[in-house]
Amino acid sequence: MASGPRIVAELGRPETPDETAARKAESSRVYRSSQTFRNLIAALIATVAVVAVVYFGVPRGTPPQQPPVDVSAAAAEVSASLGRTVIVPETPGSWRANAARVEDGAWTVVYAPRTGFVRIAQGFDVPDTWTSTLLGGFAPTGATSVDGIEWDVYDLPGDDGIRYALTTDAGPDTIVVYGSISAETAETAASGLTAQIRALREETP
């Protein structure tokens, strides 16, 4: 048996067709709005879950550290190629060798001590202006002696990361110790070159 028109309590009479349509439209609007909010919450939860899986589930780790450069082996190759003595710095065991190669006419070894970096360069038969060019055009600011070897001292502004340098001659070559280092660190590097510098000086006729 079909039911009659819905009685509206507030009006005390049946709904008109327009009122019924309006009521159903409003009910649909409220339902859709409710569904949209639920969908938004569900989407946010799903997004957070995916991010959590990616963050916690995907192994990240760190790239494997490259082994230190074999300075002695690289020096032997350069020495054989050039037919001349190439220095092999004696440095503390905690210093890591990151590079050893010939660049711009100089044998250059780069070390990473506990802080900063140290470059040790051996310029082969370089002109007198080579050191100044290497160190940004600056002149020596003093001198020091390390194991009886006299070195020129450069206190630098550090604009390019180089704050301190030591230079001396080694026969026909020029040795430069420089980098983002303290005077103490530079002298430690210089001390590891003493015997080889003397040998190079003795080789000079």
Side-chain angles (χ1 to χ4, degrees):
M1 179 178 178
S3 60
R6 184 174 184 271
I7 302 299
V8 181
E10 293 83 356
L11 301 177
R13 60 173 174 76
E15 285 181 328
T16 65
D18 289 343
E19 290 171 339
T20 299
R23 175 175 56 79
K24 290 182 176 180
E26 177 63 14
S27 177
S28 296
R29 185 191 67 77
V30 171
Y31 176 77
R32 288 195 300 273
S33 177
S34 167
Q35 288 297 101
T36 300
F37 181 74
R38 291 192 185 95
N39 290 341
L40 176 61
I41 296 300
L44 288 174
I45 292 173
T47 300
V48 171
V50 169
V51 171
V53 168
V54 171
Y55 183 82
F56 294 106
V58 176
R60 292 179 300 276
T62 56
Q65 191 176 45
Q66 295 298 319
V69 173
D70 188 336
V71 177
S72 296
E77 291 182 6
V78 172
S79 180
S81 173
L82 299 180
R84 63 191 305 159
T85 301
V86 175
I87 60 172
V88 179
E90 296 179 9
T91 59
S94 60
W95 290 20
R96 177 186 174 84
N98 288 337
R101 58 181 177 266
V102 173
E103 54 184 24
D104 299 327
W107 162 245
T108 303
V109 185
V110 182
Y111 289 97
R114 295 189 182 278
T115 59
F117 69 91
V118 180
R119 288 178 178 266
I120 300 173
Q122 177 183 4
F124 302 120
D125 302 312
V126 292
D128 294 338
T129 57
W130 177 75
T131 300
S132 177
T133 302
L134 184 67
L135 300 178
F138 291 95
T141 55
T144 190
S145 177
V146 180
D147 298 334
I149 301 291
E150 295 298 317
W151 295 78
D152 286 333
V153 173
Y154 293 74
D155 277 305
L156 302 168
D159 296 337
D160 55 357
I162 301 173
R163 297 200 305 265
Y164 194 84
L166 296 174
T167 69
T168 193
D169 68 280
D173 303 336
T174 299
I175 307 296
V176 184
V177 176
Y178 63 112
S180 59
I181 50 177
S182 64
E184 181 182 2
T185 300
E187 289 182 8
T188 296
S191 181
L193 299 168
T194 299
Q196 296 175 76
I197 290 172
R198 286 185 175 140
L200 282 167
R201 289 178 175 179
E202 290 172 1
E203 289 179 8
T204 305

